[in-house]
Amino acid sequence: MNRRGYYGKFGGAFIPEILTATFDALEDAFEKVRGDASFWQEYSDIMSAYSCRPTPLTFAGNLTRHFEGPRIYIKREDLNHTGAHKINNVMGQGLLVRRMGKNRVVAETGAGQHGVATATMAARFGFRCSVYMGETDVERQRPNVFWMERLGAEVIPVKDGTRILKDAINEAFRDWAAHMDDTHYVLGTACGPHPFPDMVSYFQSIIGREARDQILRQEKRLPTGIYACVGGGSNALGIFSGFLDDPVDLVGVEAGGEGLETGRHAARLASDDGSVGVAQGYKTYFLQDRDGQMKETHSVAAGLDYVGVSPILAAHRERGRIRFEAVTDSEVLDAMSLTIKKEGLIPALESSHAFAQAFKEAPYLSRDDIILINQSGRGDKDIFTIADAFADPGWQGFIRKKGRDYGA
């Protein structure tokens, strides 16, 4: 970060004047805790006792033998409480909210994992909680909606726009602007106005710190490459942060959807369709038309179906430090299926993007190579989407029969 909130030419805080004091107070509170070793210790302790950290680094022996190439390791963020890396960020922000003396949180969610994590944190700390979720995502992520509501959160379907993640973010910002005195917006990814990208990546850096120590203990050397899916970018920045200064290939994998040539995708950095613009309070690459209007995006994974990307990742792409690729929905489903059958692991559709790209490249690597795949979440939440994609007749019949109850 070369000046306040900027990473190269990306980032910033493009916010209305009414929010300036709130953002200044948030930045001040965050800078105080970031410089306080006791805060990180408190954060680490609660993540250990409440979320089972450190998450393991699992050697995938069957996949290693299958590809006859590199040794494959999987960072198991799916074993966090609530089933994904999202809890790392929300528990950190929860501690910050408590220090700021606020008693209500709002959040946006796409895949629902951030919403569940925020609702869980709110229950743990005794905060009131509202979660905004695009109506389309409410339908395809009904299990997570159920748990958010059971945890005491108010889930608010967003019916405007394309009814997905970007629209949920807009509504969450509107709520925050109207209730600044007692409310904090728990932004779920490393996007948005400063200090959110910096703050979210700071809390998610616990992934990379652990992964670096673990691979050095287990293999006595650094990996050749690391693969992570990229929606907004929080899990990717989390694991990449531990290796930015090392000679390691860092690969961010975006949603290729139905193919980059179709325009039905969400690849901001891995395609020629992304361009630099300002929206939702920050400057980065967006999928937008010549007039700056946001395009519709598509991905089988709700958590990657987002029009923008972290300004930190955009800066790393410009510097050439992180390589970005895109995989299609069909490649993702194939990679998920192979992982389930070979390792007995069920990665989320988001995480399966990272597996898909790693599997495409594994045959070209040698047995001396080591690769890490960040399994940012587990696939339980995707059961309806996966059943539909695999055209499972039993599940499809169940969905038709119970659709009204489950919102499928």
Side-chain angles (χ1 to χ4, degrees), residues 306-336:
Y306 179 50
V307 72
V309 68
S310 174
I312 306 175
L313 288 177
H316 283 308
R317 186 241 200 184
E318 294 265 310
R319 293 174 45 227
R321 181 62 192 93
I322 299 176
R323 173 165 60 93
F324 291 89
E325 306 290 348
V327 293
T328 65
D329 291 347
S330 61
E331 290 172 325
V332 166
L333 291 166
D334 287 345
M336 169 184 268

Side-chain angles (χ1 to χ4, degrees), residues 109-110 133-141 163-165 302:
T109 194
M133 191 172 191
E135 190 176 44
T136 297
D137 294 333
V138 169
E139 293 172 359
R140 60 179 171 174
Q141 296 293 331
R163 299 176 294 127
I164 54 176
L165 183 58

Side-chain angles (χ1 to χ4, degrees), residues 19 48 74-75 109 151 215 266 276 360 396 401 407:
L19 286 175
S48 173
I74 302 170
K75 181 58 173 167
T109 194
L151 285 160
I215 195 64
V276 178
K360 287 170 70 173
Q396 288 180 329
K401 183 177 180 182

Side-chain angles (χ1 to χ4, degrees), residues 198-347:
D198 195 23
M199 183 165 61
V200 174
S201 59
Y202 171 75
F203 289 126
Q204 292 294 359
S205 70
I206 196 168
I207 306 172
R209 298 185 193 202
E210 289 178 3
R212 193 177 193 281
D213 289 343
Q214 289 167 326
I215 195 64
L216 288 175
R217 282 200 308 271
Q218 292 176 235
E219 288 284 350
K220 306 296 190 263
R221 58 193 174 104
L222 292 169
T224 307
I226 301 174
Y227 298 81
C229 67
V230 175
S234 60
N235 92 92
L237 283 167
I239 194 164
F240 292 163
S241 66
F243 302 88
L244 285 170
D245 296 327
D246 299 316
V248 175
D249 187 22
L250 305 178
V251 186
V253 189
E254 295 186 303
E258 295 176 2
L260 299 185
E261 71 284 355
T262 70
R264 294 267 299 159
H265 62 80
R268 294 72 30 109
L269 300 176
S271 76
D272 294 329
D273 293 341
S275 59
V276 178
V278 175
Q280 296 185 327
Y282 70 114
K283 183 179 181 180
T284 190
Y285 278 89
F286 292 97
L287 292 174
Q288 57 189 337
D289 63 23
R290 292 180 179 178
D291 296 324
Q293 297 299 308
M294 296 299 128
K295 296 180 180 179
E296 290 192 19
T297 56
H298 165 77
S299 173
V300 70
L304 304 190
D305 202 356
Y306 179 50
V307 72
V309 68
S310 174
I312 306 175
L313 288 177
H316 283 308
R317 186 241 200 184
E318 294 265 310
R319 293 174 45 227
R321 181 62 192 93
I322 299 176
R323 173 165 60 93
F324 291 89
E325 306 290 348
V327 293
T328 65
D329 291 347
S330 61
E331 290 172 325
V332 166
L333 291 166
D334 287 345
M336 169 184 268
S337 183
L338 182 64
T339 304
I340 292 170
K341 291 175 180 177
K342 290 294 183 182
E343 295 292 345
L345 300 177
I346 307 175

Side-chain angles (χ1 to χ4, degrees), residues 67-70 357-367 369:
F67 287 106
E68 298 181 341
Q357 186 63 32
F359 294 170
K360 287 170 70 173
E361 298 185 8
Y364 302 97
L365 299 173
S366 75
R367 294 184 179 181
D369 290 316

Side-chain angles (χ1 to χ4, degrees), residues 9 16 19 37 71 80-81 111 128 136 144 146 151 153 166 186 218-219 229 233 253-254 263 303 341 393-394 400:
K9 65 183 182 182
L19 286 175
R71 293 174 64 78
N80 271 306
H81 180 42
R128 291 176 294 126
T136 297
N144 275 340
F146 173 86
L151 285 160
K166 74 175 179 64
V186 185
Q218 292 176 235
E219 288 284 350
C229 67
V253 189
E254 295 186 303
K341 291 175 180 177
R400 284 194 296 271

